[in-house]
Amino acid sequence: MLNPNLDEIQLNKEEYERYSRHIILPEVGLDGQKRLKSASVLCIGTGGLGSPLLLYLAAAGIGRIGIVDFDIVDSSNLQRQIIHGISWVGKPKIESAKNRIHEINPNCQVDLYETRLSAENALDIIKPYDIVVDGTDNFPTRYLTNDACVLLNKPNVYGSIFRFEGQATVFNYEGGPNYRDLYPEPPPPGMVPSCAEGGVLGVLPGIVGTIQATETIKIILGKNTTLSGRLLLFNALEMKFRELKLRPNPVRPIIEKLIDYEQFCGIPQAQAAAAEEQKTMSEMNVQELKQLLDSSADDFLLIDVRNPNEYEIAKIPGAVLIPLPDIEQGPGVEKVKNLLNGHRLIAHCKMGGRSAKALSILKEAGIEGTNVKGGIHAWSQEVDPSVPEY
């Protein structure tokens, strides 16, 4: 209800006190606070971005907040997903978020959707809300969220993060551009590492998520100073902001219905190709690797293709660090050739994915190898619990 009948909305005495710092702002005032109370916002995801924006939207007095998420709280989330706490590890994120929101503002209505957003349910979930905030971390859901917002004519407040860099904008607002104007086609699967692989500075989603909350509040207040048509780029390491202009693409395809977004992003094809390649790739489990290491055999080379900082956290005894980027760029291939000396090659990473990719590249160079299933994560869980998990 972005244009509510303000005469029908009342604040009680407690709300006047709670929101007094808003109400005395000329740019907000009593009418603005009533707009916030009457507004409804759907947040997709309660991770790094969803955590701060949900906290600030609830504190600002948004009357109704919907949350879509199907994940549980993991201890590795707590470095950046500040809406969750230790007592909620292993429990649904949406329940954790609702509990924290009601500690901040018990007057806020919180709707929970413990499900994966899909082409089958997106329109029904999004339709009742005024604004959608995209806190997701994968391309299929971003395209799905965008297309559903276009079909329903809903503003889409977008943010994304990676390592030290973040970006934010507002899509599909008052004739402005949408996500497909920024990214007409998705990148090939696996080209953009996840935060689990590439890492992320813990405070970065706090900054970007707070910017998303700010943009959401400005839309509700009717301010015409949003990021629509502007992509805000932030580099936390250099502490620099810059902007890129965004314009609607006059030849972009017309969105008429929701599609299979996993298929659109090439994920089934990539998974099928990986499964086919895995059939021909030699593998061993961590128990077999442990037996080999204990046998004192010296006819094999064990390489670790993770990044150097990961190697510092945890390592398997005897593994030689040759990061995947070095193998992709060439020098690593030569290093493997020089070290191999006719021996058997074994490769591992954190979970097994990057080492499989490294072995595929090495195979093209004429070097066959064996992949360690589950990587050092499985080693820590099944062989040596003293090796830290990360």
Side-chain angles (χ1 to χ4, degrees):
M1 194 189 303
L2 292 179
N3 294 296
N5 184 345
L6 299 179
D7 293 335
E8 296 179 355
I9 303 167
Q10 300 298 322
L11 303 184
N12 59 37
K13 183 178 180 182
E14 186 271 336
E15 288 173 317
Y16 275 105
E17 181 178 359
R18 175 185 287 268
Y19 305 121
S20 61
R21 302 306 190 273
H22 265 179
I23 296 172
I24 62 176
L25 284 171
E27 296 82 359
V28 180
L30 181 57
D31 284 355
Q33 195 59 49
K34 288 181 177 183
R35 288 180 180 276
L36 293 171
K37 183 175 182 177
S38 70
S40 58
V41 178
L42 180 70
C43 178
I44 302 174
T46 55
L49 295 172
S51 290
L53 71 89
L54 282 169
L55 292 174
Y56 275 107
L57 292 179
I62 302 299
R64 181 186 180 190
I65 295 176
I67 308 173
V68 183
D69 205 315
F70 61 94
D71 201 2
I72 62 172
V73 180
D74 183 83
S75 59
S76 66
N77 301 149
L78 304 182
Q79 164 252 14
R80 63 202 176 281
Q81 299 180 18
I82 58 171
I83 202 168
H84 310 301
I86 292 175
S87 63
W88 285 92
V89 170
K91 300 175 184 177
K93 284 185 176 181
I94 56 171
E95 294 289 351
S96 170
K98 181 178 180 178
N99 178 77
R100 184 73 181 99
I101 287 171
H102 279 163
E103 285 187 2
I104 295 172
N105 187 353
N107 298 320
C108 179
Q109 176 184 330
V110 181
D111 309 327
L112 302 182
Y113 304 91
E114 191 173 4
T115 184
R116 182 191 297 271
L117 196 72
S118 68
E120 288 71 33
N121 63 24
L123 296 177
D124 289 336
I125 291 175
I126 292 173
K127 189 174 182 179
Y129 297 89
D130 300 321
I131 301 171
V132 175
V133 188
D134 184 352
T136 61
D137 61 357
N138 65 86
F139 289 99
T141 310
R142 288 171 182 165
Y143 280 100
L144 166 62
T145 300
N146 174 80
D147 291 3
C149 286
V150 170
L151 290 172
L152 295 170
N153 195 28
K154 306 284 185 181
N156 174 14
V157 183
Y158 165 79
S160 69
I161 52 172
F162 181 63
R163 292 184 175 170
F164 289 89
E165 298 181 355
Q167 53 184 236
T169 189
V170 175
F171 290 126
N172 200 50
Y173 182 56
E174 295 186 340
N178 67 54
Y179 185 72
R180 288 179 180 269
D181 294 313
L182 178 60
Y183 297 112
E185 298 290 338
M191 176 172 283
V192 181
S194 67
C195 288
E197 289 182 349
V200 61
L201 182 69
V203 298
L204 177 64
I207 296 168
V208 177
T210 304
I211 290 171
Q212 289 179 278
T214 305
E215 293 301 293
T216 303
I217 290 170
K218 290 194 302 184
I219 292 171
I220 295 168
L221 295 177
K223 305 302 177 185
N224 59 0
T225 56
T226 71
L227 283 172
S228 179
R230 298 180 290 149
L231 180 66
L232 182 67
L233 305 174
F234 173 59
N235 186 313
L237 195 59
E238 299 179 1
M239 196 51 69
K240 289 183 178 179
F241 287 90
R242 61 192 181 97
E243 282 187 11
L244 298 177
K245 292 289 185 182
L246 287 180
R247 294 180 177 86
N249 183 351
V251 296
R252 72 185 177 203
I254 298 174
I255 299 168
E256 298 179 326
K257 63 179 181 179
L258 301 183
I259 60 175
D260 184 333
Y261 292 90
E262 297 280 321
Q263 186 80 20
F264 174 69
C265 292
I267 294 175
Q269 301 92 313
Q271 290 175 337
E276 190 64 30
E277 186 173 9
Q278 193 171 9
K279 290 179 183 178
T280 61
M281 181 175 291
S282 173
E283 290 187 321
M284 66 166 48
N285 59 40
V286 289
Q287 289 86 1
E288 291 170 327
L289 176 60
K290 178 68 164 58
Q291 291 174 1
L292 185 61
L293 292 172
D294 289 344
S295 70
S296 300
D298 60 359
D299 60 347
F300 68 93
L301 171 66
L302 175 63
I303 65 170
D304 182 338
V305 304
R306 297 174 299 153
N307 295 323
N309 56 314
E310 294 178 89
Y311 186 77
E312 291 179 3
I313 298 171
K315 57 179 72 72
I316 296 176
V320 178
L321 178 65
I322 306 179
L324 175 60
D326 289 353
I327 294 174
E328 291 175 320
Q329 295 163 14
V333 176
E334 293 304 314
K335 185 173 182 179
V336 171
K337 287 180 178 179
N338 293 334
L339 292 174
L340 200 54
N341 196 27
H343 292 162
R344 177 187 181 188
L345 176 63
I346 303 171
H348 86 84
C349 61
K350 181 180 179 181
M351 303 285 285
R354 281 177 285 174
S355 50
K357 185 175 182 180
L359 288 172
S360 295
I361 296 171
L362 290 167
K363 185 177 181 179
E364 293 178 0
I367 304 172
E368 297 281 350
T370 299
N371 193 30
V372 179
K373 292 190 295 185
I376 199 168
H377 181 75
W379 180 272
S380 177
Q381 291 194 330
E382 302 176 29
V383 175
D384 185 359
S386 68
V387 174
E389 296 184 46
Y390 64 96

